[in-house]
Amino acid sequence: GENVEQHPSTLSVQEGDSAVIKCTYSDSASNYFPWYKQELGKGPQLIIDIRSNVGEKKDQRIAVTLNKTAKHFSLHITETQPEDSAVYFCAASKSFQKLVFGTGTRLLVSP
Amino acid sequence: DTGVSQDPRHKITKRGQNVTFRCDPISEHNRLYWYRQTLGQGPEFLTYFQNEAQLEKSRLLSDRFSAERPKGSFSTLEIQRTEQGDSAMYLCASSSKGRDTEAFFGQGTRLTVV
């Protein structure tokens, strides 16, 4: 079955810096790759996603890139703010069914 | 609020007791998912429904676990004879088949088995 690896497990940046989180997946049939942000005690919140027919997608300060050949996808957050501090999860899915999640990245943005 | 709703938010139970959780999906969504999340880990898939049909179950879903979605609306997840290893956050998500099928999660039910 699908396996998703996520790095780094923790990431500390200064406010205004950029943050990059990387994921790899194993199943070449996966075609949908969402990213979720989870704050303490809350459920995951979808922040951006990308489908396999697209190489890059951007939404304001957040962007995601996908390299299908290498089975890599990454989340890029620019101009980080303290409210970006949370745990971020990548996930992979075939045909928009069950999601297989990475192990999470705890992002800490210091003022 | 028209998001995914889960009840209760927190449940503390003694080992060996049965517990039941409820999930109300976003009203127009016909797919409903259950996930389990332990501390420091990503959510793990348990099962999913399309309308009232349970289409897939994970091996994580032992015979002590049962999920239902009568009439294709709300869903319940029951755990019988709870064990300490069942302590986790149980998350429900819903999505709509046939269009942009992003899955939206509820706030979860945190189960503590003592």
Side-chain angles (χ1 to χ4, degrees), chain A residues 9-28:
Chain A
S9 56
T10 59
L11 180 58
S12 294
V13 300
Q14 292 292 121
E15 183 176 0
D17 288 349
S18 295
V20 180
I21 303 171
K22 298 182 179 182
C23 289
T24 61
Y25 61 99
S26 61
D27 190 342
S28 56

Side-chain angles (χ1 to χ4, degrees), chain A residues 32 36 38 41-46 49 51 89 95-104, chain B residues 9 31 33 35 37 40-43 45 48 56 89 91 100-107:
Chain A
Y32 174 62
Y36 287 85
Q38 188 173 30
K42 297 186 177 181
Q45 177 189 8
L46 180 71
D49 58 14
R51 286 147 173 80
F89 291 98
S95 302
F96 309 100
Q97 295 185 24
K98 68 180 181 184
L99 297 169
V100 178
F101 284 84
T103 49
Chain B
R9 292 292 310 278
R31 285 187 175 179
Y33 309 81
Y35 289 82
Q37 186 177 26
Q41 300 297 315
F45 170 79
Y48 101 93
E56 186 174 351
M89 174 82 88
L91 293 162
D100 294 336
T101 51
E102 301 95 334
F104 296 91
F105 282 81
Q107 299 283 44

Side-chain angles (χ1 to χ4, degrees), chain A residues 62-84:
Chain A
I62 295 173
V64 58
T65 58
L66 171 65
N67 182 330
K68 286 191 295 182
T69 303
K71 298 182 196 167
H72 289 171
F73 58 114
S74 300
L75 178 71
H76 305 253
I77 305 174
T78 58
E79 301 171 24
T80 52
Q81 302 166 3
E83 51 265 39
D84 293 330

Side-chain angles (χ1 to χ4, degrees), chain B residues 7-105:
Chain B
D7 183 71
R9 292 292 310 278
H10 303 275
K11 178 70 177 179
I12 300 174
T13 191
K14 292 183 178 180
R15 190 175 53 182
Q17 297 294 304
N18 299 344
V19 294
T20 300
F21 310 140
R22 176 179 170 126
C23 171
D24 287 273
I26 294 170
S27 61
E28 67 269 24
H29 285 184
N30 59 357
R31 285 187 175 179
L32 186 148
Y33 309 81
W34 285 99
Y35 289 82
R36 181 173 70 186
Q37 186 177 26
T38 53
L39 207 59
Q41 300 297 315
E44 295 175 292
F45 170 79
L46 291 178
T47 188
Y48 101 93
F49 293 84
Q50 184 167 304
N51 299 313
E52 66 276 7
Q54 188 173 19
L55 296 187
E56 186 174 351
K57 292 196 293 185
S58 163
R59 286 173 294 176
L60 292 175
L61 214 65
S62 76
D63 56 5
R64 296 185 298 106
F65 288 70
S66 63
E68 295 182 343
R69 193 183 182 197
K71 303 178 183 178
S73 56
F74 71 91
S75 176
T76 58
L77 178 67
E78 180 184 18
I79 308 174
Q80 297 182 326
R81 305 181 303 280
T82 52
E83 302 172 355
Q84 286 189 320
D86 297 331
S87 296
M89 174 82 88
Y90 290 84
L91 293 162
C92 177
S94 70
S95 69
S96 179
K97 177 178 179 291
R99 51 171 299 222
D100 294 336
T101 51
E102 301 95 334
F104 296 91
F105 282 81

